[in-house]
Amino acid sequence: MIVCPECHHPNREGTVFCSECGGQLPGPDTAITDRIEIEGAQAAPPRSGPIRGAAPSTDSTAWASLQLLESGQVLPLASRMEFTLGRSSEGQPILPDIDLEPYQAHAQGVSRLHAIIKFERGLISLIDLGSSNGTYVNGRRIPPNLEQPIQSGDTISLGRLKFQLMAKDAQKG
């Protein structure tokens, strides 16, 4: 058990951020990490709110995309109707469909298998897979293992890594 130095809330071992106040918890993984520059990506200043008017994706087969709020980079959701989100690590037997490790996922509190985003019958939903640092929709933590309906424009946080969901209108295709 790790006790938060800010609010004194007890948290599970391996948790990076307090589930009560969001403060960073002490531990061996209070990581000093190097910033990973992604070739061809343009850095943008950090954003404090939703990105209004952003196009869903340049990929015409995508039903939605996730736009990283910090960098503005777009991750299209195409070719499948369900994706696991998380980060890969050496020796991990099951890998996420969308690997967020290039976006400092470990330092941001993203679990190896953090959440699922899926499109079914015209609806988009998000499921937290019991992650250590939680999944949030528009700043509200969602309960683990339950489908949470989401829509275009919602801000999704996996730990502290934030995206905005940009979805095509299900009725327009």
Side-chain angles (χ1 to χ4, degrees):
M1 195 64 67
I2 300 172
V3 176
C4 176
E6 301 294 322
C7 70
H8 306 291
H9 180 76
N11 293 274
R12 295 188 318 198
E13 285 296 324
T15 305
V16 178
F17 300 104
C18 178
S19 63
E20 187 68 26
C21 72
Q24 188 164 6
L25 298 173
D29 289 335
T30 309
I32 299 172
T33 60
D34 292 329
R35 183 164 177 83
I36 299 171
E37 296 298 328
I38 299 165
E39 191 173 325
Q42 295 180 349
R47 301 177 191 269
S48 59
I51 302 167
R52 299 288 176 215
S57 173
T58 56
D59 182 343
S60 63
T61 64
W63 49 267
S65 60
L66 297 173
Q67 185 166 18
L68 282 92
L69 291 184
E70 185 173 315
S71 69
Q73 186 160 359
V74 175
L75 306 173
L77 303 176
S79 75
R80 298 171 50 174
M81 302 314 273
E82 182 175 307
F83 294 88
T84 55
L85 306 168
R87 62 178 172 84
S88 63
S89 65
E90 192 174 322
Q92 184 176 342
I94 301 172
L95 298 175
D97 297 317
I98 298 178
D99 182 13
L100 301 169
E101 190 57 34
Y103 311 104
Q104 300 182 5
H106 185 263
Q108 297 285 346
V110 177
S111 295
R112 288 178 183 94
L113 294 174
H114 197 108
I116 294 173
I117 187 167
K118 69 180 188 173
F119 182 75
E120 186 175 41
R121 295 186 303 269
L123 301 174
I124 302 173
S125 59
L126 184 67
I127 305 165
D128 178 85
L129 295 174
S131 63
S132 295
N133 294 301
T135 301
Y136 298 79
V137 175
N138 299 324
R140 188 177 56 82
R141 189 172 186 153
I142 64 171
N145 305 311
L146 294 175
E147 284 192 35
Q148 173 72 39
I150 57 175
Q151 59 189 353
S152 188
D154 283 348
T155 299
I156 299 167
S157 302
L158 306 182
R160 296 240 174 151
L161 187 61
K162 293 183 179 183
F163 305 92
Q164 184 176 24
L165 175 68
M166 302 307 296
K168 290 182 179 180
D169 185 339
Q171 305 205 344
K172 291 180 183 176

